[in-house]
Amino acid sequence: MRKLTYFVAGTIDGFIAGPDGDYDFFSPYLTEDYLPHLTVDFPETLPTPARAALGVADAPNTHFDTVVMGRGTYEPGLATGLTSPYAHLRQIVVSRSLGVSPDASVEVTTEDPVALVRRLKQEEGLGVWLCGGGDLAGQLLPEIDELIVKQYPVVAGFGIPLFRAEFSPRAFKLTGSRVFDNGTIALTYTKASA
């Protein structure tokens, strides 16, 4: 069975974006010691235009072949004309308000996110990447098998949290960590056994 991985960038205080969805304040941390980690270990998590710019356009997908995201995660690219941000992956946007997909390679669905992910897990292939955002992650928390947080050394104070959900503690086990020269920490957690 495939697993669902929430692979996400966040602040020390647990925010994935500013109150209005802004995430540009993460850009200074994409430094020479950190960027190779993404291009080598997680090339499929880079948007298609970034892959081309970084010379990894033809890099094989190593962990994921499907990306699931909410409308709030999809819209910043869409606003700039990027209708297929991860053309190298199967792209699914969960939205009740987006309607018809602006791109044939992007599936827009109103399906219950939990039912969607359970169905995807039954399919053959690599893992499923939950790209964001906080509301969708909150809904899918019971289905998340792995959590990879790229924690940047910045405090936001307020914004969109990693998870927006009801109080429902879930145990995860730290299975990996890596510290970069710029202060970024990549933390990998797996769902703890019940």
Side-chain angles (χ1 to χ4, degrees):
M1 182 180 334
R2 303 203 295 172
K3 65 182 175 183
L4 178 66
T5 300
Y6 188 23
F7 182 89
V8 64
T11 64
I12 293 170
D13 52 345
F15 296 102
I16 61 173
D20 296 323
D22 176 41
Y23 53 86
D24 289 343
F25 59 94
F26 289 144
S27 296
Y29 303 103
L30 297 176
T31 57
E32 288 181 12
D33 72 317
Y34 178 66
L35 203 50
H37 167 66
L38 292 177
T39 60
V40 172
D41 297 332
F42 294 94
E44 65 266 49
T45 64
L46 296 167
T48 302
R51 286 169 57 104
L54 294 168
V56 293
D58 296 327
N61 296 336
T62 57
H63 299 279
F64 315 115
D65 62 14
T66 303
V67 60
V68 175
M69 66 188 100
R71 179 179 180 159
T73 300
Y74 180 59
E75 280 204 320
L78 190 58
T80 66
L82 184 59
T83 60
S84 181
Y86 301 100
H88 49 282
L89 298 172
R90 177 180 176 194
Q91 304 166 91
I92 303 172
V93 177
V94 179
S95 174
R96 291 184 186 90
S97 58
L98 190 58
V100 177
S101 176
D103 193 295
S105 66
V106 176
E107 176 186 345
V108 174
T109 183
T110 59
E111 184 178 357
D112 171 67
V114 172
L116 168 69
V117 165
R118 287 179 179 165
R119 181 172 50 78
L120 291 172
K121 284 182 173 184
Q122 297 301 315
E123 296 176 359
E124 294 292 322
L126 296 175
V128 179
W129 169 32
L130 171 57
C131 184
D135 288 330
L136 185 57
Q139 293 174 65
L140 289 172
L141 182 55
E143 294 299 319
I144 294 174
D145 303 296
E146 183 178 54
L147 177 60
I148 302 175
V149 180
K150 302 163 288 177
Q151 186 183 67
Y152 295 123
V154 62
V155 172
F158 186 70
I160 299 172
L162 258 94
F163 294 93
R164 190 173 293 149
E166 302 270 331
F167 180 76
S168 177
R170 306 267 176 184
F172 283 80
K173 179 181 176 181
L174 181 66
T175 56
S177 64
R178 185 170 171 188
V179 179
F180 297 89
D181 291 343
N182 69 3
T184 297
I185 304 172
L187 300 165
T188 303
Y189 298 91
T190 55
K191 186 188 296 187
S193 301

